[in-house]
Amino acid sequence: MLGALGLSTDEESVYRNLVGRTAASSADLAQTTQLPEATVRTALSQLLANGLVKRTPDGDFSAAPPAVALGALISERRDGLHTAELALVTLAEEHRVAMAGRSISELIEVVTGIDSIRHRFAQVQHAARTQVRNFVTAPFVAVPPGTNTMETVMMRRGVEYRVILERAALAEPGMIAETVTSLRKGVHVRVVESLPIKLVLADDELGLVPLTVEAGSEPGAVLLHRSGLLSAMDALFEIVWRHAHQLTLSALAGMADAHAAEVDADTPTELDRKILALLLAGLTDQVVAGQLGISLRTLQRRLRNLMDFAGVQSRMQLGWYAARHNWA
């Protein structure tokens, strides 16, 4: 817990033991912490230097008041982080100026290997200050659904996420649950029939474009710095975003855990609404049935009941009717 303040595990263990007692010798601390006495002495020496521990008149050790000692360390760390942030602004501007004169080979970096792509994917997101934009297509090679932990970290820092999904990606295992989780966190998600590439953009500074490779070949990606090519990727995303279909939490919530039974009803049930939402997103009957944990026959029977109830003859007409009556 105190590692964020620069304390080692041994130093924290010794300090915590001292906090709960008036004073103790290094031998006493070695016994209670089950650490070698030499290790305890080394930890005490560092704690003394940091002002967390003081000597008693009889040669033992006592803990300095946490509110004072740890508060001072926290203030130092906070000041250090503020200084680092100021340095970041300066360095970023120096980098931007330097990039303006760089050659094409310096503006484009080729990344190979799954681990390297995964690392760069996290780095690009971490570099964002205002927004991350992402094209998501199947198959998932480096970052499968549920493994992008950086999304949560950056959203807590106030970074906005906008994601466009290819419809086929929604049929991948775990993708519906991943999308629901993202929507609940505040990610803006839209869906289109198809996407030309995979893509992640950090503001207008960095972009990562995974490359399509032959089966059995090592995967690769291109890291783009600020350039005309990156500006083209930026424009491409915004064009696709404007024409993409918005996905909402109300339409998708609960689909990942849905195992509803067959229900005979004359009005739309929760299951009916989920069926319609997925079909309107462009998924096939087979994929929708699999996502909802129902049989294909059940899905088609529910659709037939809805069409009869709505008084329509085709699924297209049912879609219009559902939209007008807020069924999905």
Side-chain angles (χ1 to χ4, degrees):
M1 183 182 298
L2 300 181
L5 299 179
L7 272 67
S8 68
T9 303
D10 293 339
E11 291 165 8
E12 180 173 348
S13 179
V14 171
Y15 182 70
R16 284 180 174 275
N17 270 271
L18 273 177
V19 166
R21 57 175 69 189
T22 304
S25 66
S26 59
D28 292 335
L29 291 168
Q31 183 177 5
T32 56
T33 60
Q34 297 184 339
L35 293 172
E37 190 168 352
T39 301
V40 171
R41 291 198 190 99
T42 301
L44 286 169
S45 177
Q46 189 60 46
L47 291 170
L48 283 166
N50 289 333
L52 293 174
V53 167
K54 56 187 178 181
R55 285 273 193 176
T56 64
D58 58 2
D60 287 341
F61 301 88
S62 65
V68 176
L70 294 180
L73 281 181
I74 291 172
S75 295
E76 289 177 7
R77 290 280 168 161
R78 187 181 294 118
D79 292 342
L81 287 173
H82 180 63
T83 301
E85 288 177 345
L86 294 177
L88 171 62
V89 173
T90 301
L91 292 171
E93 180 59 21
E94 291 177 1
H95 183 259
R96 186 192 67 77
V97 173
M99 293 292 288
R102 292 173 72 178
S103 66
I104 292 297
S105 61
E106 293 175 305
L107 294 173
I108 300 175
E109 174 188 344
V110 177
V111 183
T112 58
I114 290 178
D115 290 339
S116 296
I117 294 173
R118 187 181 295 120
H119 182 63
R120 285 302 195 194
F121 182 66
Q123 283 185 323
V124 168
Q125 294 176 84
H126 194 267
R129 291 295 173 265
T130 59
Q131 68 170 333
V132 170
R133 292 166 291 172
N134 199 2
F135 280 169
V136 177
T137 69
F140 303 106
V141 178
V143 188
T147 61
N148 183 20
T149 57
M150 189 57 67
E151 181 180 272
T152 299
V153 173
M154 298 309 296
M155 291 193 71
R156 287 174 179 170
R157 296 181 185 177
V159 175
E160 179 188 51
Y161 270 70
R162 288 192 286 153
V163 177
I164 301 177
L165 300 174
E166 189 174 67
R167 279 198 175 99
L170 282 170
E172 294 292 312
M175 198 57 203
I176 291 293
E178 169 79 354
T179 304
V180 169
T181 299
S182 293
L183 286 168
R184 284 174 175 160
K185 287 187 293 189
V187 177
H188 304 285
V189 182
R190 295 188 179 185
V191 63
V192 294
E193 186 64 34
S194 63
L195 289 169
I197 55 174
K198 295 178 184 286
L199 172 68
V200 58
L201 298 170
D203 302 327
D204 58 355
E205 299 291 333
L206 286 174
L208 186 67
V209 183
L211 303 175
T212 302
V213 296
E214 303 260 341
S217 301
E218 186 175 44
V222 174
L223 181 66
L224 304 175
H225 295 274
R226 180 183 285 191
S227 61
L229 183 55
L230 183 61
S231 297
M233 296 296 100
D234 181 297
L236 173 63
F237 181 93
E238 295 303 330
I239 291 172
V240 176
W241 179 262
R242 285 197 296 270
H243 295 89
H245 172 71
Q246 183 177 1
L247 290 180
T248 63
L249 184 59
S250 60
L252 293 179
M255 288 183 182
D257 304 314
H259 296 286
E262 296 185 16
V263 177
D264 289 314
D266 292 328
T267 58
T269 64
E270 185 63 22
L271 173 61
D272 295 329
R273 294 176 186 275
K274 292 170 183 176
I275 290 172
L276 287 169
L278 284 179
L279 289 175
L280 289 174
L283 275 66
T284 65
D285 288 7
Q286 191 68 51
V287 170
V288 172
Q291 290 286 353
L292 297 178
I294 60 177
S295 69
L296 185 60
R297 177 181 295 181
T298 297
L299 180 145
Q300 293 172 343
R301 183 170 59 80
R302 294 308 306 167
L303 284 174
R304 182 68 262 172
N305 289 346
L306 289 172
M307 290 169 63
D308 291 343
F309 179 77
V312 299
Q313 301 299 317
S314 69
R315 292 192 181 189
M316 181 177 294
Q317 291 173 333
L318 178 61
W320 283 105
Y321 187 95
R324 287 198 304 270
H325 292 81
N326 298 315
W327 279 8

